[in-house]
Amino acid sequence: MFAPLEPSRGGPLPDRGRVRNAVNAVVLLAGIGGLAFGGWALYDAYGTHQDREASRALITEACAGLADPRAVMELDGGADRVVLGGKDAGTVDFETLPDGCVLSRVEERDGKDRTYSQFTLSLKGLPQARDLHLTDDAWRTGPFRTRRSQDDATARTDQPDRMPLGDGALGDYGPDDVTVVARCEQPAKSGTTTLIVTARSPSTAHEAEDRQVLARIARRAAEGAAEKYGCRTRLPALPVELPPPVTALGPVGERTDSCGWYSAHLRTAERDRLPDRAAGVPLGGSAREEGCLLAMSREGTERVLTLLTTAEREELIGSLKYFPWWLRTRAYFGDDAAAVAVPGLRSPDPVFPGKAGRVGDALYGSMTCQGRTATVTLAAPFRYKSVLGPRLDALFKAYAEDVAARRGCTDLVLPAPE
């Protein structure tokens, strides 16, 4: 028998079969592809790291060290690249008030880099030449987004009243911002008596975690800004929880929030034409601002229409498709009481602290709380004012008297009844 031939040591490898060769080729190509992909992933990770480092440096510089750059980039799910944003790319310089920084995130969409709002830090001071508060921020359309197809326009508002941070001594917050108020023990060199610092991000409208991050940023920024502007102050600690702003309107019922005064008023008032829905906020004994939103449901509106004359109904019924009936009360305390205005056709009309009157679609009055002037307002669209008639003055009186009693205020001044 012949012995099997041994392969030559320098010769070609034996043919192990087509399948075995194909598998080897696939493994070889996969290895080469893996190396290439790994190299690209490493390069991409390095680029992302560089973007984040540059963005953190930009945030620190633009906001003058007031905002924690890592916290800013965590907002809205996290950002890898941040640039200066807004039409006027302002940065904090501590020279004049108002001051602030605006930042946008960069994301690739459809092969193009696009910018989206990420974070805004604004610094304001009181007293100031420009008005800080409007009796209603959405006066042209009201606090409700209305469409012809909507069945229940006043069930929810997209303009909720501000919620107090704790008892309100630290500040307040809204759907997309947290404001911290630093009250100076003595006026700063610039004459500033109160420093108002607002941290804003569009992501906070539905994210409780982001709201907490914003609160920490705002408080830290207020401490830093107060030191820079020479405003000696002591800021309270942040509350443990920040409940979401109140957007849903419910029955007026028995309420203990900022609409409690209205529940009490309805016990003795004729309620046939008065709102049957309310959205109040928790009461803060040291809040700089508190508000109550009242509105009429569809069923309530239909009931009131039956009480009107034919001419009155024809005048109102068309507008109800776009302008439901609502009222909003607000009170401002401390330095904020001198920074209130009523929206006008061209520019806001100021409310004069210490006085009372009627401007546009608003009534306003004043009182003295702990030795300082406070301002109370009631805003109502003119179409609903015509439905309420003298009931509007009675409502405002009930509201103002409740605020005065609850906050220990005196010298209440109200506009004369029409």
Side-chain angles (χ1 to χ4, degrees):
M1 294 180 67
F2 294 97
L5 295 175
E6 295 183 2
S8 173
R9 296 180 183 275
L13 293 173
D15 186 357
R16 298 178 183 274
R18 292 182 179 180
V19 174
R20 179 76 58 86
N21 290 340
V23 170
N24 289 340
V26 170
V27 171
L28 179 62
L29 290 174
I32 295 172
L35 289 173
F37 179 79
W40 170 253
L42 184 63
Y43 173 80
D44 185 57
Y46 175 76
T48 300
H49 174 77
Q50 293 294 95
D51 285 341
R52 290 175 179 170
E53 287 295 317
S55 296
R56 285 194 283 265
L58 174 66
I59 295 168
T60 300
E61 181 180 1
C63 302
L66 295 179
D68 179 358
R70 293 182 183 275
V72 169
M73 294 185 69
E74 287 175 3
L75 295 166
D76 198 15
D80 294 326
R81 184 182 170 197
V82 170
V83 298
L84 292 178
K87 296 180 180 179
D88 300 319
T91 58
V92 177
D93 56 20
F94 299 118
E95 292 182 1
T96 58
L97 289 171
D99 206 349
C101 55
V102 181
L103 299 160
S104 296
R105 64 193 293 154
V106 180
E107 294 182 0
E108 183 177 335
R109 299 283 177 90
D110 301 324
K112 296 182 179 180
D113 283 347
R114 303 183 185 276
T115 58
Y116 304 89
S117 177
Q118 175 72 8
F119 175 75
T120 299
L121 182 70
S122 63
L123 313 177
K124 297 179 181 179
L126 292 174
Q128 65 174 20
R130 300 172 64 181
D131 298 303
L132 183 66
H133 305 287
L134 291 178
T135 54
D136 193 85
D137 301 332
W139 71 282
R140 291 185 182 276
T141 59
F144 305 100
R145 291 179 178 174
T146 57
R147 298 184 180 91
R148 284 178 182 268
S149 59
Q150 278 190 324
D151 293 329
D152 203 354
T154 63
R156 184 173 297 273
T157 176
D158 62 334
Q159 297 285 337
D161 282 298
R162 299 190 67 76
M163 302 275 285
L165 283 170
D167 70 348
L170 182 60
D172 45 56
Y173 62 97
D176 62 356
D177 77 281
V178 176
T179 294
V180 169
V181 180
R183 296 173 176 84
C184 308
E185 295 178 1
Q186 298 292 333
K189 294 180 181 179
S190 60
T192 298
T193 58
T194 302
L195 190 63
I196 300 170
V197 179
T198 300
R200 184 185 306 275
S201 175
S203 66
T204 58
H206 305 290
E207 298 294 337
E209 183 177 347
D210 278 356
R211 197 157 48 242
Q212 292 282 0
V213 173
L214 272 190
R216 292 192 292 270
I217 293 175
R219 191 182 185 282
R220 169 183 164 174
E223 286 183 326
E227 182 178 352
K228 287 288 187 179
Y229 283 107
C231 169
R232 293 184 57 188
T233 187
R234 293 183 181 181
L235 298 179
L238 285 167
V240 176
E241 295 183 356
L242 299 180
V246 180
T247 58
L249 279 76
V252 292
E254 294 295 326
R255 308 182 70 96
T256 58
D257 55 18
S258 59
C259 292
W261 67 271
Y262 185 63
S263 296
H265 178 68
L266 290 181
R267 297 187 195 117
T268 57
E270 294 182 10
R271 53 190 304 171
D272 55 352
R273 301 189 182 198
L274 299 182
D276 55 5
R277 284 178 170 171
V281 300
L283 291 172
S286 299
R288 65 176 184 140
E289 171 188 338
E290 61 181 41
C292 167
L293 176 62
L294 305 171
M296 189 71 84
S297 66
R298 180 184 60 180
E299 294 77 14
T301 301
E302 292 174 350
R303 183 180 65 252
V304 173
L305 288 174
T306 63
L307 305 176
L308 305 179
T309 65
T310 302
E312 289 172 330
R313 282 197 299 271
E314 290 178 352
E315 183 179 354
L316 292 168
I317 199 165
S319 66
L320 283 170
K321 296 177 181 179
Y322 306 98
F323 304 104
W325 294 341
W326 57 270
L327 300 170
R328 174 165 259 157
T329 61
R330 281 181 175 152
Y332 306 91
F333 306 91
D335 291 341
D336 291 77
V340 182
V342 176
L345 293 176
R346 296 184 179 179
S347 61
D349 297 312
V351 167
F352 298 101
K355 297 185 178 180
R358 303 169 190 270
V359 180
D361 289 340
L363 289 76
Y364 69 93
S366 65
M367 60 187 75
T368 302
C369 305
Q370 291 76 51
R372 309 186 69 183
T373 297
T375 299
V376 287
T377 66
L378 187 156
F382 72 91
R383 293 174 180 86
Y384 191 32
K385 286 168 64 177
S386 65
V387 172
L388 290 174
R391 299 170 184 80
L392 190 67
D393 287 281
L395 271 174
F396 190 41
K397 183 174 183 291
Y399 168 65
E401 289 179 344
D402 177 85
V403 172
R406 183 163 41 80
R407 301 283 292 237
C409 306
T410 59
D411 305 323
L412 175 60
V413 181
L414 297 175
E418 286 189 332

